[in-house]
Amino acid sequence: MDIKSQIDLAINNFDLQGKVINTKPLEKGHINDTFCVECVLDDNSIKRYILQRINTNIFKNTDDLMENVVNITSYLRKIILENGGDPERETLNVIKTKDGKNYYKSDNNHCWRVYNFIEDATTYDLVENVQDFYESAVAFGNFQMLLSNFPANILHETIPNFHNTVDRLNKLKQAIEKDSFNRVKEVKNEIDFVLDREKDCYIICDLLDKKEIPLRVTHNDTKLNNIMIDNKTKKAICVIDLDTVMPGTVLNDFGDSIRFGASTALEDEKDLSKVECSMELFEAFTKGFIEGTKDSLTDKEKEMLPMGAKIITLECGIRFLTDYLQGDTYFKTHREGHNLDRARTQFKLVLDMEKKWQQMADIVKKYS
Ligand code: ADP
Ligand code: GN1
Ligand code: MG
């Protein structure tokens, strides 16, 4: 069945308002297939929804995944209402199927879900101005605060070992060993870059093991295009992409935002001379994140924020490189060598952070 027919069939199973007049793919995100569905209501106004085909190669248990999402969004909805906010724009809302389920499974085993569409807001792949990035930091910090009393014991681990950097390193080593696509010879420099930093991969895992930093409920995928920024007020209004909300460390949430948003170039930039970690953006984010978390971070967590940025960037590079060696099956790719280009930008950022280490530490101190 072609994708258009699959979409039509899926939509038919949801309780949407009005009559569907258009569906179009949104070419964003590396994991799920995302579509915007437009419906016309009786009064001729337009109501939009987000339809997603969930990537079940990655999220193996859709029931657990959607149970997490429903639990988290219901929890957030209550708090937003208590605070007088607008739950239609400040959190995702899962639209149920006609038979009351959290998602629809088709005969060919594809899983589809529908969310409210957050109107008049935009996600960015690159920071357009420093203030937007600051606002995203406040919102991600605040998201962390909002979830601080969420019962972690009811959360399923949707991807085991998701930010276990040691496990990511081991998977890279296995991919090198197998070399199924005969690509190792092309990436000797990148492999050496990682192996030179093997010890770094243990730092955050060790801090967690020794309980020197706490396990919290974290988002785990805090890149700038997972936050919606209001087109008029320019405030970051809604954190999206909740598939990886799991117990984790705040260092990764801080770090992942820096990795993506404080970079001076796109994640897949081929010209590495354009890729740097901007200290202006690092400072704006640090200020916003510490404000957003309302001083709930421990001294150790604050001290380790620069390390969080470096390690998650290294880890992300390791993941892109591993996927390249394994034939590009995890992240969506749109050109030859796409994952390799992405891995290279991450390693360039790591190198740049190493050069700017003292500056990063000083900035964190300034706002601690
Ligand atoms: P992926 O897991 O593939 O990254 P996301 O859930 O992040 O998928 O969605 C991909 C993109 O779709 C987002 O970056 C955002 O631009 C858009 N999007 C997702 N959910 C919504 C929503 N509820 N309202 C408006 N746009 C959305
Ligand atoms: C993926 O889903 P998306 O595009 O927001 C990935 C993240 C990576 C990121 C790299 C579930 O995020 O972990 O950091 O790509 N998500 C998953 O851009 O693996
Ligand atoms: Mg996303």
XYZ file of all heavy atoms in Angstrom, residues 190-246:
463
model
N 38.389 9.231 12.597
C 37.255 9.393 13.512
C 37.316 8.326 14.614
O 37.058 8.619 15.790
C 35.924 9.280 12.748
C 35.590 10.474 11.867
C 36.436 10.571 10.598
O 37.057 9.554 10.210
O 36.489 11.672 10.003
N 37.696 7.112 14.233
C 37.793 6.040 15.229
C 38.895 6.391 16.244
O 38.700 6.278 17.460
C 38.065 4.673 14.550
C 36.823 4.243 13.764
C 38.459 3.613 15.583
C 37.011 3.009 12.904
N 40.026 6.856 15.743
C 41.122 7.230 16.649
C 40.695 8.355 17.582
O 41.042 8.372 18.762
C 42.358 7.680 15.859
C 43.072 6.479 15.248
O 42.753 5.341 15.650
O 43.927 6.682 14.355
N 39.926 9.289 17.034
C 39.446 10.412 17.844
C 38.670 9.878 19.063
O 38.866 10.325 20.191
C 38.537 11.321 16.995
C 38.094 12.563 17.712
C 38.837 13.735 17.638
C 36.935 12.569 18.491
C 38.437 14.885 18.321
C 36.526 13.708 19.168
C 37.281 14.865 19.083
N 37.808 8.909 18.813
C 37.010 8.349 19.914
C 37.907 7.556 20.869
O 37.837 7.730 22.092
C 35.883 7.429 19.371
C 35.154 6.747 20.519
C 34.896 8.240 18.524
N 38.759 6.704 20.299
C 39.582 5.846 21.177
C 40.520 6.672 22.051
O 40.806 6.305 23.192
C 40.345 4.808 20.352
C 39.424 3.806 19.631
C 40.232 2.783 18.840
C 38.463 3.093 20.591
N 40.954 7.825 21.544
C 41.778 8.722 22.360
C 41.000 9.263 23.565
O 41.596 9.803 24.499
C 42.217 9.955 21.544
C 43.346 9.601 20.590
O 43.919 8.507 20.731
O 43.629 10.419 19.681
N 39.679 9.199 23.486
C 38.835 9.747 24.562
C 38.037 8.643 25.260
O 36.999 8.908 25.871
C 37.877 10.808 23.984
C 38.615 12.073 23.619
C 37.867 12.920 22.636
N 38.687 14.084 22.276
C 39.715 14.039 21.431
N 40.071 12.891 20.843
N 40.417 15.128 21.171
N 38.537 7.432 25.168
C 37.829 6.287 25.741
C 37.493 6.518 27.216
O 36.389 6.234 27.670
C 38.708 5.046 25.566
C 37.983 3.787 25.937
C 38.611 2.521 25.349
O 39.550 2.618 24.527
O 38.139 1.445 25.741
N 38.454 7.078 27.958
C 38.239 7.271 29.407
C 37.068 8.206 29.674
O 36.333 8.030 30.638
C 39.515 7.849 30.042
C 40.544 6.789 30.375
C 41.394 7.249 31.562
C 42.834 7.355 31.214
N 43.541 8.499 30.859
N 36.922 9.204 28.806
C 35.830 10.173 28.997
C 34.460 9.493 29.002
O 33.530 9.958 29.664
C 35.833 11.223 27.867
C 37.026 12.165 27.983
O 37.678 12.170 29.039
O 37.307 12.878 26.998
N 34.353 8.418 28.228
C 33.046 7.749 28.111
C 32.551 7.205 29.446
O 31.371 6.916 29.604
C 33.119 6.605 27.097
S 33.477 7.185 25.434
N 33.444 7.040 30.399
C 33.055 6.460 31.700
C 32.613 7.522 32.713
O 32.039 7.185 33.740
C 34.233 5.663 32.296
C 34.481 4.370 31.551
C 35.170 4.373 30.335
C 34.011 3.147 32.038
C 35.380 3.202 29.625
C 34.220 1.966 31.338
C 34.914 2.009 30.135
O 35.101 0.849 29.438
N 32.916 8.789 32.438
C 32.775 9.808 33.484
C 31.347 9.909 34.030
O 31.119 9.826 35.239
C 33.268 11.192 32.969
C 34.775 11.110 32.690
C 32.968 12.288 33.984
C 35.371 12.359 32.048
N 30.373 10.051 33.146
C 28.998 10.265 33.641
C 28.422 8.968 34.214
O 27.762 8.980 35.259
C 28.116 10.872 32.533
C 28.641 12.290 32.266
C 26.644 10.916 32.948
C 27.847 13.114 31.324
N 28.694 7.861 33.565
C 28.226 6.566 34.099
C 28.771 6.370 35.517
O 28.039 5.947 36.425
C 28.696 5.414 33.220
S 27.916 5.412 31.596
N 30.038 6.699 35.721
C 30.645 6.535 37.050
C 29.999 7.452 38.078
O 29.740 7.045 39.210
C 32.159 6.825 37.004
C 32.930 5.667 36.379
O 32.308 4.618 36.122
O 34.145 5.828 36.146
N 29.747 8.698 37.673
C 29.113 9.644 38.613
C 27.752 9.112 39.060
O 27.383 9.219 40.230
C 28.923 11.010 37.944
C 30.166 11.878 37.752
C 29.830 13.078 36.876
C 30.703 12.344 39.104
N 27.013 8.528 38.117
C 25.689 7.980 38.460
C 25.839 6.741 39.340
O 25.157 6.604 40.361
C 24.923 7.623 37.182
C 24.266 8.782 36.433
C 23.789 8.333 35.062
C 23.100 9.384 37.235
N 26.754 5.859 38.948
C 26.968 4.620 39.727
C 27.332 4.935 41.169
O 26.850 4.297 42.096
C 28.106 3.780 39.116
C 27.643 3.051 37.871
O 26.423 3.051 37.610
O 28.519 2.516 37.151
N 28.187 5.949 41.316
C 28.647 6.275 42.679
C 27.681 7.222 43.382
O 27.985 7.727 44.466
C 30.035 6.931 42.605
C 31.115 5.965 42.149
C 32.477 6.652 42.196
C 33.558 5.792 41.578
N 34.549 6.570 40.835
N 26.577 7.498 42.732
C 25.541 8.398 43.278
C 26.088 9.793 43.608
O 25.619 10.451 44.533
C 24.867 7.759 44.504
C 24.208 6.415 44.203
C 23.119 6.088 45.193
C 22.283 4.871 44.892
N 22.555 4.011 43.789
N 27.068 10.209 42.867
C 27.590 11.571 43.063
C 26.684 12.596 42.384
O 26.742 13.783 42.672
C 29.025 11.676 42.525
C 30.012 10.951 43.423
C 31.441 11.124 42.940
O 31.803 12.210 42.476
O 32.189 10.123 43.009
N 25.889 12.128 41.440
C 24.826 12.975 40.869
C 23.539 12.157 40.913
O 23.570 10.922 40.801
C 25.131 13.424 39.411
C 25.478 12.219 38.522
C 26.227 14.469 39.374
C 25.564 12.567 37.040
N 22.369 12.845 41.088
C 21.121 12.092 41.228
C 20.532 11.651 39.890
O 20.759 12.285 38.860
C 20.185 13.112 41.882
C 20.710 14.436 41.461
C 22.185 14.292 41.254
N 19.764 10.556 39.953
C 18.963 10.136 38.813
C 17.664 10.936 38.892
O 17.050 11.019 39.955
C 18.677 8.636 38.967
C 18.382 7.821 37.732
C 19.521 7.894 36.725
C 18.119 6.367 38.118
N 17.292 11.579 37.806
C 16.052 12.368 37.784
C 15.222 11.917 36.589
O 15.726 11.196 35.727
C 16.380 13.856 37.600
C 17.255 14.464 38.682
C 17.589 15.903 38.286
N 18.508 16.555 39.200
C 18.143 17.270 40.276
N 16.871 17.402 40.570
N 19.039 17.853 41.036
N 13.969 12.395 36.520
C 13.205 12.150 35.295
C 13.619 13.222 34.295
O 13.433 14.414 34.543
C 11.681 12.209 35.564
C 10.903 12.078 34.260
C 11.275 11.110 36.535
N 14.206 12.795 33.198
C 14.757 13.758 32.238
C 14.186 13.515 30.838
O 13.604 12.465 30.563
C 16.304 13.660 32.203
O 16.673 12.288 32.070
C 16.925 14.221 33.464
N 14.385 14.483 29.971
C 13.818 14.403 28.617
C 14.690 13.533 27.708
O 14.205 12.737 26.928
C 13.701 15.831 28.054
C 13.071 15.893 26.700
N 13.773 15.641 25.540
C 11.804 16.180 26.298
C 12.954 15.768 24.495
N 11.762 16.098 24.928
N 15.974 13.734 27.797
C 16.976 12.919 27.087
C 17.138 13.202 25.587
O 17.894 12.500 24.907
C 16.711 11.418 27.293
C 16.912 11.033 28.736
O 17.976 11.302 29.298
N 15.906 10.447 29.376
N 16.424 14.186 25.070
C 16.573 14.520 23.648
C 16.231 16.002 23.471
O 15.319 16.376 22.744
C 15.628 13.634 22.824
C 15.872 13.746 21.318
O 16.809 14.464 20.910
O 15.111 13.124 20.554
N 17.028 16.832 24.161
C 16.653 18.247 24.309
C 17.204 19.146 23.202
O 17.674 20.246 23.471
C 17.163 18.765 25.665
O 18.541 18.383 25.770
C 16.399 18.202 26.823
N 17.163 18.672 21.977
C 17.689 19.563 20.940
C 16.651 20.634 20.601
O 15.454 20.470 20.858
C 18.200 18.800 19.737
C 17.266 17.872 19.054
C 18.025 17.148 17.941
C 17.067 16.363 17.072
N 17.720 15.690 15.972
N 17.164 21.693 20.011
C 16.334 22.872 19.775
C 15.096 22.558 18.937
O 14.057 23.179 19.125
C 17.192 23.945 19.083
C 16.585 25.317 18.943
C 16.374 25.971 20.304
C 17.480 26.202 18.073
N 15.193 21.576 18.026
C 13.986 21.312 17.234
C 12.996 20.403 17.954
O 12.024 19.934 17.366
C 14.305 20.847 15.802
C 15.030 19.526 15.751
O 14.990 18.744 16.695
N 15.692 19.256 14.632
N 13.224 20.188 19.245
C 12.227 19.510 20.073
C 11.563 20.474 21.045
O 11.044 20.072 22.096
C 12.860 18.330 20.828
C 13.123 17.160 19.887
O 12.430 16.991 18.890
N 14.128 16.355 20.194
N 11.602 21.743 20.709
C 10.904 22.737 21.530
C 10.225 23.736 20.594
O 10.806 24.160 19.602
C 11.877 23.416 22.527
C 11.101 24.119 23.627
C 12.836 24.374 21.879
C 11.935 24.341 24.879
N 8.980 24.067 20.917
C 8.233 24.983 20.047
C 8.329 26.403 20.607
O 8.046 26.629 21.784
C 6.749 24.587 19.968
C 6.470 23.140 19.670
S 6.363 22.600 17.927
C 5.771 23.952 17.019
N 8.733 27.324 19.747
C 8.880 28.721 20.161
C 7.740 29.548 19.549
O 7.502 29.478 18.332
C 10.268 29.272 19.741
C 11.329 28.424 20.464
C 10.407 30.762 20.069
C 12.730 28.897 20.359
N 7.030 30.260 20.415
C 5.872 31.049 19.985
C 6.303 32.118 18.977
O 7.253 32.866 19.230
C 5.232 31.705 21.216
C 3.925 32.396 20.870
O 3.953 33.439 20.183
O 2.869 31.879 21.291
N 5.582 32.175 17.849
C 5.989 33.104 16.782
C 5.883 34.562 17.199
O 6.653 35.392 16.730
C 5.127 32.883 15.529
C 5.379 31.521 14.921
O 6.409 30.890 15.197
N 4.456 31.036 14.103
N 4.910 34.865 18.079
C 4.733 36.280 18.459
C 5.562 36.631 19.683
O 6.380 37.541 19.651
C 3.254 36.539 18.765
C 2.428 36.728 17.521
C 1.055 37.319 17.832
C 0.040 36.822 16.805
N -0.629 35.583 17.175
N 5.352 35.888 20.776
C 6.019 36.280 22.039
C 7.492 35.863 22.061
O 8.266 36.346 22.884
C 5.336 35.623 23.253
O 5.527 34.200 23.146
C 3.862 35.952 23.319
N 7.847 34.892 21.193
C 9.208 34.348 21.154
C 9.575 33.560 22.420
O 10.750 33.268 22.664
C 10.254 35.459 20.903
C 10.124 36.055 19.517
C 10.630 35.063 18.507
C 10.441 35.480 17.083
N 10.780 34.371 16.176
N 8.564 33.243 23.231
C 8.813 32.386 24.402
C 8.780 30.927 23.935
O 8.000 30.571 23.027
C 7.711 32.568 25.463
C 7.655 33.966 26.036
C 8.611 34.113 27.205
C 8.576 35.511 27.757
N 9.841 36.007 28.243
N 9.592 30.090 24.561
C 9.542 28.658 24.264
C 8.345 28.097 25.033
O 8.324 28.136 26.254
C 10.829 27.996 24.713
N 7.322 27.639 24.293
C 6.069 27.317 24.995
C 5.858 25.832 25.243
O 5.174 25.454 26.174
C 4.829 27.855 24.247
C 4.878 27.456 22.771
C 4.692 29.356 24.425
C 3.533 27.555 22.099
N 6.435 24.970 24.403
C 6.093 23.550 24.567
C 7.279 22.650 24.236
O 7.877 22.760 23.168
C 4.908 23.221 23.655
S 4.331 21.536 23.843
N 7.587 21.763 25.159
C 8.616 20.750 24.916
C 7.931 19.560 24.250
O 6.923 19.062 24.764
C 9.281 20.332 26.249
C 10.230 19.175 26.036
C 10.016 21.517 26.870
N 8.442 19.141 23.108
C 7.807 18.028 22.375
C 8.761 16.828 22.324
O 9.778 16.811 22.998
C 7.378 18.466 20.954
C 8.583 18.931 20.133
C 6.326 19.566 21.031
C 8.280 19.118 18.657
N 8.410 15.838 21.527
C 9.227 14.631 21.345
C 9.531 13.965 22.692
O 10.695 13.908 23.135
C 10.531 14.997 20.606
C 11.113 13.793 19.877
O 10.682 12.673 20.187
O 12.004 13.973 19.028
N 8.481 13.450 23.304
C 8.586 12.940 24.679
C 8.918 11.443 24.738
O 8.814 10.820 25.790
C 7.255 13.211 25.410
C 6.832 14.689 25.416
C 5.443 14.848 26.028
C 7.847 15.540 26.180
N 9.326 10.880 23.602
C 9.527 9.426 23.528
C 10.640 8.911 24.436
O 10.670 7.735 24.781
C 9.876 9.019 22.086
C 8.751 9.342 21.129
O 7.602 9.426 21.576
O 9.030 9.523 19.924
N 11.567 9.773 24.768
C 12.713 9.303 25.562
C 12.704 9.878 26.977
O 13.744 9.890 27.633
C 14.039 9.665 24.858
O 14.018 11.057 24.570
C 14.239 8.881 23.590
N 11.552 10.364 27.432
C 11.494 10.813 28.826
C 11.645 9.565 29.707
O 10.844 8.638 29.625
C 10.162 11.546 29.145
C 10.069 11.847 30.627
C 10.061 12.829 28.339
N 12.715 9.545 30.462
C 13.061 8.356 31.279
C 13.937 8.840 32.424
O 14.436 9.967 32.383
C 13.936 7.381 30.452
C 13.250 6.650 29.360
S 14.385 5.511 28.529
C 15.290 6.547 27.393
